[in-house]
Amino acid sequence: MLESGPEMSLVCLTDFQEHAREHLSKSTRDFIEGGADDSVTRDENIAAFKRIRLRPRYLRDVSEVDTRTTIQGEEISAPICIAPTGFHCLVWPDGEMSTARAAQAAGICYITSTFASCSLEDIVIAAPEGLRWFQLYVHPDLQLNKQLIQRVESLGFKALVITLDAPVCGNRRHDIRNQLRKNLTLTDLQSPKKGNSIPYFQMTPISTSLCWNDLSWFQSITRLPIILKGILTKEDAELAVKHKVQGIIVSNHGGRQLDEVLASIDALTEVVAAVKGKIEVYLDGGVRTGNDVLKALALGARCIFLGRPILWGLAYKGEHGVKEVLNILTNEFHTSMALTGCRSVAEINRNLIQFSRL
């Protein structure tokens, strides 16, 4: 799958990051890597995992280790799925179609973004058997939301993921310097036959007035489970349960929205405690190794979602690059399970970790 030769031996996720840094244009690289303001949270997402230490258990039969689990009742091959990120055509010509094929081949869930650069129909055709959720930025026009949700439902998406943490866009300095909002149009991202040149920030305004009480309207128009993405506090987690949603993604938008919030892994504990097992909790932000996946599950996440590393894989070799990223992380996670004495994800628990005093 990978090119031979030592110069192309990519063995961990950060190798793919280095490759992407070397091969993508500056504006694309900045768009993917950038955080809000001083990027404190973006960096803390990664650093926070390294403050957690593992407590392995030995003399257990780990000749067979099973990484499978379920999310919203659907089986996935490992608790490692693909977070919603926009504009995959920036890094690979087939964009989200390649991402969807890789997710289908891996047997995991792909959350497609509102800002996908391929049509939803093309994504479904590319990977008809894949498990797909759809991420929604709520539009101020309710009817447009309704039309999009009905389209998504008819296309076989299995859940609706509503992003909460972007009522306004975070202050992303790199994008402002690169004048990305002015320069990035859908013409750059879609095949020529679609010929659309409306800047994407004008195309999809995001509601600034969305409130908890609005969730009942979404529940009234769809049978899909509703997952709330961007919750970081016990107060909002309790409200999510009260409003009868089906899941939470603990996320700070990869440090791209409000800087200086908690790292996702640090916010996970209070969110998990608040929901009391009533709904599933997932995490994105800062996962780079199999140990990170194990730590997130030990703290109560049902699965993790990968953002930037998927784009690094896509930039490397399209579908095959994404498959390689997922394969490497899954193999690392399998090793982490075996070396901590876990034969199934059900055996991963809070006793496996402790917070370092470093």
Side-chain angles (χ1 to χ4, degrees):
M1 204 175 278
L2 292 175
E3 290 176 24
S4 59
E7 74 283 0
M8 294 303 289
S9 182
L10 307 190
V11 301
C12 61
L13 269 55
T14 51
D15 285 350
F16 287 84
Q17 180 178 25
E18 286 304 313
H19 182 274
R21 280 178 178 160
E22 290 165 14
H23 291 82
L24 294 175
S25 70
K26 183 181 185 301
S27 63
T28 298
R29 187 171 67 241
D30 287 349
F31 175 63
I32 293 170
E33 297 298 316
D37 295 313
D38 293 322
S39 296
V40 171
T41 295
R42 179 199 66 184
D43 297 341
E44 185 72 2
N45 273 346
I46 295 168
F49 274 104
K50 306 312 170 196
R51 291 193 290 271
I52 300 171
R53 292 291 175 262
L54 298 172
R55 303 180 65 249
R57 300 296 308 278
Y58 297 121
L59 290 178
R60 294 184 172 188
D61 179 0
V62 290
S63 56
E64 289 186 25
V65 171
D66 187 356
T67 61
R68 291 174 301 171
T69 188
T70 62
I71 51 173
Q72 298 299 319
E74 299 270 355
E75 185 175 291
I76 51 177
S77 65
I80 297 165
C81 296
I82 299 180
T85 54
F87 312 116
H88 290 195
C89 286
L90 278 175
V91 301
W92 190 259
D94 280 350
E96 288 83 2
M97 292 187 288
S98 291
T99 309
R101 288 187 200 106
Q104 177 179 274
I108 52 95
C109 179
Y110 163 40
I111 308 180
T112 304
S113 171
T114 292
F115 288 140
S117 45
C118 300
S119 77
L120 299 179
E121 288 77 7
D122 285 347
I123 291 167
V124 172
I125 289 165
E129 303 303 316
L131 174 59
R132 294 176 303 280
W133 293 359
F134 180 76
Q135 175 271 330
L136 177 71
Y137 283 115
V138 175
H139 194 284
D141 183 336
L142 284 183
Q143 279 309 114
L144 286 179
N145 293 312
K146 186 175 183 179
Q147 289 166 18
L148 181 54
I149 291 165
Q150 289 173 340
R151 184 174 150 214
V152 158
E153 201 164 354
S154 70
L155 284 168
F157 286 78
K158 296 294 189 190
L160 181 66
V161 178
I162 301 177
T163 296
L164 310 184
D165 59 7
V168 298
C169 192
N171 185 38
R172 303 174 196 170
R173 295 172 186 167
H174 288 303
D175 291 352
I176 296 166
R177 288 189 188 107
N178 293 329
Q179 294 190 295
L180 192 79
R181 295 172 197 202
K182 190 171 77 179
N183 295 336
L184 185 57
T185 65
L186 289 179
T187 311
D188 301 324
L189 305 169
Q190 295 185 332
S191 60
K193 67 174 186 282
K194 295 193 176 122
N196 191 338
S197 61
I198 305 168
Y200 79 87
F201 284 95
Q202 290 173 25
M203 276 198 64
T204 311
I206 299 171
S207 173
T208 56
S209 62
L210 186 67
C211 294
W212 285 101
N213 289 337
D214 296 322
L215 292 176
S216 60
W217 179 81
F218 289 95
Q219 289 161 332
S220 77
I221 65 159
T222 183
R223 295 185 301 276
L224 295 177
I226 292 176
I227 317 292
L228 301 182
K229 179 177 181 286
I231 285 179
L232 293 169
T233 63
K234 66 178 187 294
E235 292 87 350
D236 279 349
E238 287 165 358
L239 282 167
V241 172
K242 180 183 171 187
H243 287 269
K244 296 182 167 57
V245 301
Q246 280 69 47
I248 287 170
I249 303 178
V250 174
S251 171
N252 50 44
H253 218 108
R256 295 161 73 80
Q257 278 299 105
L258 178 62
D259 198 20
E260 299 176 48
V261 297
L262 278 179
S264 297
I265 193 67
D266 287 341
L268 179 63
T269 303
E270 71 172 82
V271 171
V272 167
V275 306
K276 298 183 170 69
K278 291 173 186 167
I279 60 177
E280 292 183 351
V281 178
Y282 319 105
L283 172 138
D284 75 25
V287 174
R288 299 293 180 265
T289 67
N291 278 352
D292 294 344
V293 179
L294 187 85
K295 290 170 184 178
L297 267 63
L299 285 170
R302 186 81 186 175
C303 82
I304 66 89
F305 288 92
L306 285 178
R308 290 180 179 96
I310 296 300
L311 295 173
W312 303 335
L314 195 62
Y316 174 58
K317 209 177 278 186
E319 173 190 346
H320 298 293
V322 176
K323 280 184 193 170
E324 192 67 20
V325 163
L326 292 169
N327 194 39
I328 287 169
L329 192 60
T330 301
N331 287 340
E332 287 182 359
F333 174 59
H334 189 282
T335 300
S336 299
M337 286 179 66
L339 290 176
T340 52
C342 298
R343 291 155 294 197
S344 69
V345 293
E347 294 185 354
I348 300 171
N349 62 69
R350 183 65 178 77
N351 292 328
L352 286 175
I353 60 166
Q354 69 179 47
F355 286 86
S356 166
R357 293 184 180 84
L358 294 177

